[in-house]
Amino acid sequence: MILADVRVAQGEALARELGDNAEFVELDVGEESHWARVVARAEHRFGGVDILINNAAVLVMAPLEETSLSDYERAVRVNQVGPFLGMRTVVPGMKRRGGGSIVNIGSTDGVFPGDQGLMAYGATKWALRGMTKIAAVELGQHGIRVNIVNPDAGNPLIGRPFFPPEVISDAKLHELGNRMAYRVLKRLRPDRKRVDEIVPMVLLLASEDGSACTGGDYPVDGGYSAGMSGLAQLLGL
Ligand SMILES: NC(=O)c1ccc[n+]([C@@H]2O[C@H](COP(=O)([O-])OP(=O)(O)OC[C@H]3O[C@@H](n4cnc5c(N)ncnc54)[C@H](O)[C@@H]3O)[C@@H](O)[C@H]2O)c1
């Protein structure tokens, strides 16, 4: 398994923790040449890429009128150009190998215009859903499946740049992350970390168990994207 991220120290530490079958390669997803290097390394070490998980993203939180062009372009570069380059770089090898699975990580912000202040981030996640379906239709005949998982929560610290520590602590951000989910469904497994509820869906789609799934949107959001109860909203629940 190749792990790839801009955070080199954390990536190398995680690869060491995972053992001999994991290797870290530095990757800025917006850099075409970095993708070529990652795929070359995967081919050399593992014979090719069977599964690509496009997970990297940056959060930009600002309403339309307060979103600068540079912030908008930063979100597009990481969240949209990144998966585009990733998919484009792995597909020739997947075709040669007779198939593969690509799982893009979207967000409920690409499904449902729930919260204000997500003009740039939301736009990239809506785009990623479209890119997923277009790629799925193009690549199906080559046995390459392309799907998107849309969680409503992940690492609550993704919002840290927008909430100074003196205003909201890490612990508070984690608590809010937990509470934000489950606005529809009663939380059935409060003992589980949110990320542990997302990973099984990603693994299902990545693996042969998902052999009939392509072009799909898979919400992991406690029912949030299905809609909110009007009464619950009125009551502020
Ligand atoms: N955190 C949430 O509330 C939430 C909600 C819904 C969906 N998601 C999605 O889940 C996915 C994972 O996010 P997370 O919650 O784990 O947040 P996170 O910030 O922990 O993870 C994002 C990762 O992307 C990496 N990254 C950023 N820019 C990069 C670049 N240019 N090149 C390579 N890597 C880069 C970061 O270093 C980080 O490791 C993202 O696609 C995100 O949009 C998150």
Side-chain angles (χ1 to χ4, degrees), residues 5-7 27-29 55-57 105-106 121 125 151 153-155 158:
D5 200 288
V6 281
R7 294 193 291 176
L27 168 70
D28 176 345
V29 292
N55 179 60
I105 307 300
Y121 179 80
K125 294 297 187 181
N155 177 4
I158 199 174

Side-chain angles (χ1 to χ4, degrees), residues 4-7 27-30 54-59 77-79 105-109 121 125 128 149-159 180 195 198:
D5 200 288
V6 281
R7 294 193 291 176
L27 168 70
D28 176 345
V29 292
N54 276 314
N55 179 60
V58 288
L59 178 65
R77 181 177 180 279
V78 178
N79 306 0
I105 307 300
S107 166
T108 44
D109 296 318
Y121 179 80
K125 294 297 187 181
L128 189 56
V149 173
N150 298 311
D152 67 332
N155 177 4
L157 301 184
I158 199 174
M180 262 181 62
V195 70
I198 299 163

Side-chain angles (χ1 to χ4, degrees), residues 24-39:
F24 175 77
V25 180
E26 184 176 0
L27 168 70
D28 176 345
V29 292
E31 286 293 330
E32 201 168 1
S33 62
H34 287 202
W35 276 106
R37 190 175 64 199
V38 171
V39 172

Side-chain angles (χ1 to χ4, degrees), residues 152-223:
D152 67 332
N155 177 4
L157 301 184
I158 199 174
R160 169 52 75 213
F162 303 93
F163 301 109
E166 59 276 16
V167 178
I168 300 186
S169 65
D170 280 7
K172 188 74 185 167
L173 273 179
H174 279 283
E175 187 204 316
L176 283 174
N178 268 330
R179 281 223 323 261
M180 262 181 62
Y182 294 101
R183 279 170 283 191
V184 173
L185 177 68
K186 173 187 165 197
R187 190 154 190 203
L188 300 171
R189 289 286 307 273
D191 55 314
R192 271 175 112 190
K193 284 191 204 155
R194 291 305 326 277
V195 70
D196 292 338
E197 298 185 303
I198 299 163
V199 168
M201 180 63 86
V202 176
L203 293 181
L204 169 72
L205 295 169
S207 73
E208 287 181 1
D209 286 341
S211 57
C213 302
T214 198
D217 274 301
Y218 295 89
V220 183
D221 65 3

